[in-house]
Amino acid sequence: MRFSNVLLAAGFFNATFAQHNATSSVAFRSALRTCSLLQKSLGSEIVQTSGTEYQASASGAWSLFNAEDLPPCIVFPRSTQHVQVAMAAIFRDKIRYAVQAGGHSAMTGWNSVQDGILIFFSHMQNVTYDPTSDTITLQPGIHWGDALSQLSPLGVAPLGGRLGDIGTGLLLGGGLSYLSGEFGFSSNAFVELDVVLVTGKLVTATATNQYSDLFRALKGGANRFGIVTRYQVKAIHIGTEDDKNFFGGVILYPNSSAEALINATAKYVSTVNDTKASILMAFTNSVNGSEINSSHILTLFYHGSSLPNIFGDFLSIPSSFSQIGPVSYMDANSILGAGGDRGFGQLFGASAFKGGVVEQYANAFRAWTDYTNTIESALFATVLAFTPIIDAQTLAGRANGGNLMDPPRGNYAAVQIQTQMLAGVATVPTFVTTARNKLFSRIPRSAGFPLYINECDAGQNVFATYGKFNELKTTYAKYDPTRFNIRFSDGPIGL
Ligand SMILES: Cc1cc2nc3c(=O)[nH]c(=O)nc-3n(C[C@H](O)[C@H](O)[C@H](O)COP(=O)(O)OP(=O)(O)OC[C@H]3O[C@@H](n4cnc5c(N)ncnc54)[C@H](O)[C@@H]3O)c2cc1C
């Protein structure tokens, strides 16, 4: 090493150790060495060890449990090549790592790392529309709200999520939107993906080229199959902000309507097959001092100019507030706010209920109520949410090449439990973990129906619930034969 480099490295180490309060683990020091080398090759704007941007990014994750880590460095790539350089060094030096796009993972450690390198996509946020191929190209750092507002004047949108602050990591878990009934999981709109494999090698995967197996695995494989640096997806012609092509909005209900809402949800899941309809039924408990306040929120939209009868049950249930009318697709995606609140430890948990068995839904409501009461002292709020996934959504996915979640035929609901801890609580108390495990054992999934990985608990083996689990395992073994990602990055279990 040249003398100037030794000085540089010494200064680098001192600053970073001060920053991290002299963390001395072997893993941390190894990562620090790799950071130093990366900083020399990529520069100190791309590889940061301290400073305002470093701090804001390290603490920027949506769940407080993921906003506590101070990695030795954060890589802020401006291009795919930067990701390749970083990943090749991480692989060579056997360093732990994590990737963060929109930051909304509620699974602790899935988008943050303490003794490793964080790749953070805040400088790769472009979105473009190509009318010739009728496709949209997204860089991984864009959030859905920004993508929609930039594309809205052109009348097109990508399939994404339902709240603006969420990011593109959603696509790798599948993706549920207000358009899912018509077009399937959001990842079904993939056309071409640039993927940096664990070794740093770049491949471009499509439905028909030599990487078609990887392409399929990325529709639900989450962060296990490589780092996607470019998503080319089909454009959906949804109209501009001025085109109020949807009808719907939000209805707020008192707790006295809960039983009727459970019945209506179970019935909706089993009977509604209209591809243009979508609902998100969220039961909420929030803690206010020693009181639990329960109120329930239905978001409903129809891709058309009025609401058909299929929503009739919900519309006849006594409500406390209602805002329904013609809206644009952008309006629909901001009706619940952006979802960007920070500062709370967050946990998800998933189940999957087929349509038809009302008691399954009622039982989930009771189990969730008991759960809320048990952990009340640690709690800000809990949510029990149902997103119907109709048969047509599954068929739309299959028609588009399919995905490895591969749900069986028939309507079902993705069931999500969200737990929002008291502000500032940075670790999960043991009694909460015990209560969560009990809750999950009380709400088992209907046989054969896959859990939704973007809404799961980190301890749930979601991959094992996929219809094409064996294919997923085979593809993983092919693209990461040394199991580097599993050994050096937190993410879904079971591969
Ligand atoms: C308020 C809220 C609302 C939500 N609404 C919806 C909804 O309407 N529909 C829905 O389907 N889901 C929804 N979700 C769930 C959402 O899909 C997941 O939280 C998703 O993981 C968020 O992606 P992200 O990019 O924001 O998060 P991140 O935490 O940045 O990423 C999620 C995961 O993907 C990995 N990852 C991200 N980018 C890449 C990449 N380019 N290459 C490889 N790995 C990558 C990360 O390492 C992490 O493990 C919601 C979540 C929240 C908190």
Side-chain angles (χ1 to χ4, degrees):
M1 191 186 267
R2 288 169 44 195
F3 186 59
S4 58
N5 285 346
V6 174
L7 284 182
L8 180 69
F12 174 94
F13 272 68
N14 288 340
T16 309
F17 267 117
Q19 167 89 22
H20 299 283
N21 202 13
T23 302
S24 59
S25 81
V26 173
F28 186 92
R29 278 183 286 155
S30 300
L32 200 52
R33 271 193 294 277
T34 304
C35 287
S36 171
L37 294 169
L38 277 175
Q39 203 175 53
K40 273 181 242 157
S41 59
L42 295 176
S44 57
E45 279 193 23
I46 292 172
V47 182
Q48 298 187 21
T49 59
S50 61
T52 314
E53 186 176 22
Y54 167 95
Q55 287 290 351
S57 305
S59 61
W62 176 68
S63 171
L64 186 65
F65 299 143
N66 286 335
E68 298 279 297
D69 291 338
L70 286 174
C73 67
I74 302 178
V75 177
F76 295 93
R78 269 66 169 173
S79 68
T80 295
Q81 196 230 340
H82 295 159
V83 178
Q84 286 185 263
V85 170
M87 203 56 233
I90 288 166
F91 185 74
R92 179 197 62 216
D93 297 344
K94 298 185 172 52
I95 304 300
R96 290 200 66 76
Y97 72 104
V99 176
Q100 194 171 136
H104 275 267
S105 183
M107 296 55 132
T108 304
W110 286 22
N111 65 12
S112 67
V113 62
Q114 172 64 33
D115 294 336
I117 294 175
L118 177 63
I119 297 174
F120 198 93
F121 276 120
S122 53
H123 287 272
M124 290 179 72
Q125 300 205 350
N126 289 343
V127 56
T128 52
Y129 171 61
D130 175 11
T132 310
S133 61
D134 200 19
T135 60
I136 291 165
T137 298
L138 303 152
Q139 286 191 316
I142 190 118
H143 297 241
W144 296 115
D146 295 331
L148 291 183
S149 62
Q150 288 181 47
L151 294 170
S152 171
L154 305 174
V156 293
L159 291 180
R162 293 166 292 194
L163 277 83
D165 196 58
I166 318 304
T168 56
L170 166 145
L171 294 173
L172 301 175
L176 294 168
S177 75
Y178 293 123
L179 296 168
S180 291
E182 284 177 83
F183 301 102
F185 283 99
S186 304
S187 54
N188 287 326
F190 285 170
V191 173
E192 199 171 278
L193 304 171
D194 283 349
V195 191
V196 176
L197 302 177
V198 281
T199 55
K201 179 183 173 185
L202 171 66
V203 302
T204 298
T206 73
T208 51
N209 74 3
Q210 62 177 307
Y211 303 110
S212 59
D213 49 0
L214 178 64
F215 183 80
R216 270 158 71 75
L218 285 161
K219 302 184 206 177
N223 64 356
R224 287 293 184 215
F225 288 79
I227 302 177
V228 179
T229 57
R230 181 180 64 96
Y231 298 89
Q232 186 188 359
V233 301
K234 287 179 186 153
I236 309 296
H237 289 261
I238 211 66
T240 68
E241 177 77 271
D242 296 331
D243 297 321
K244 306 298 181 191
N245 290 332
F246 287 75
F247 203 95
V250 67
I251 307 178
L252 198 63
Y253 299 91
N255 199 35
S256 52
S257 292
E259 189 180 342
L261 287 168
I262 283 289
N263 292 339
T265 305
K267 182 174 162 194
Y268 183 100
V269 175
S270 53
T271 58
V272 172
N273 279 298
D274 190 325
T275 58
K276 293 183 183 299
S278 75
I279 65 164
L280 168 60
M281 182 66 237
F283 296 87
T284 70
N285 282 328
S286 54
V287 178
N288 184 5
S290 59
E291 272 186 19
I292 296 177
N293 297 324
S294 304
S295 63
H296 311 307
I297 306 164
L298 175 72
T299 314
L300 71 168
F301 289 106
Y302 194 75
H303 192 180
S305 55
S306 62
L307 284 185
N309 288 339
I310 50 176
F311 298 112
D313 287 350
F314 290 109
L315 297 175
S316 65
I317 294 170
S319 62
S320 41
F321 172 81
S322 172
Q323 181 192 319
I324 291 180
V327 291
S328 69
Y329 188 59
M330 268 201 72
D331 297 333
N333 279 273
S334 55
I335 206 130
L336 292 174
D341 296 351
R342 301 294 202 266
F344 299 91
Q346 305 276 0
L347 299 164
F348 284 171
S351 192
F353 294 174
K354 68 177 180 184
V357 189
V358 178
E359 175 50 24
Q360 194 176 16
Y361 293 72
N363 172 63
F365 184 84
R366 287 192 297 272
W368 166 73
T369 304
D370 293 346
Y371 168 69
T372 306
N373 291 335
T374 307
I375 65 166
E376 181 188 343
S377 62
L379 202 59
F380 183 79
T382 56
V383 179
L384 167 67
F386 296 92
T387 299
I389 295 174
I390 60 173
D391 197 34
Q393 174 170 341
T394 303
L395 292 179
R398 289 185 186 173
N400 237 341
N403 57 62
L404 303 190
M405 295 173 270
D406 198 34
R409 297 291 307 273
N411 295 359
Y412 71 105
V415 183
Q416 180 195 21
I417 308 275
Q418 180 188 346
T419 304
Q420 183 170 356
M421 309 297 291
L422 277 174
V425 172
T427 51
V428 185
T430 310
F431 75 95
V432 172
T433 305
T434 307
R436 290 171 63 67
N437 291 336
K438 185 170 178 194
L439 171 67
F440 298 143
S441 70
R442 286 180 66 182
I443 55 164
R445 69 186 171 109
S446 302
F449 287 91
L451 300 179
Y452 184 40
I453 208 159
N454 283 341
E455 297 177 346
C456 76
D457 177 80
Q460 291 182 299
N461 189 345
V462 176
F463 286 150
T465 71
Y466 283 10
K468 297 257 182 341
F469 179 41
N470 285 337
E471 186 180 333
L472 193 79
K473 282 194 286 192
T474 305
T475 306
Y476 180 71
K478 177 175 165 189
Y479 286 95
D480 187 6
T482 67
R483 301 176 67 75
F484 185 82
N485 174 278
I486 284 176
R487 289 185 295 130
F488 289 91
S489 196
D490 285 349
I493 59 173
L495 279 179

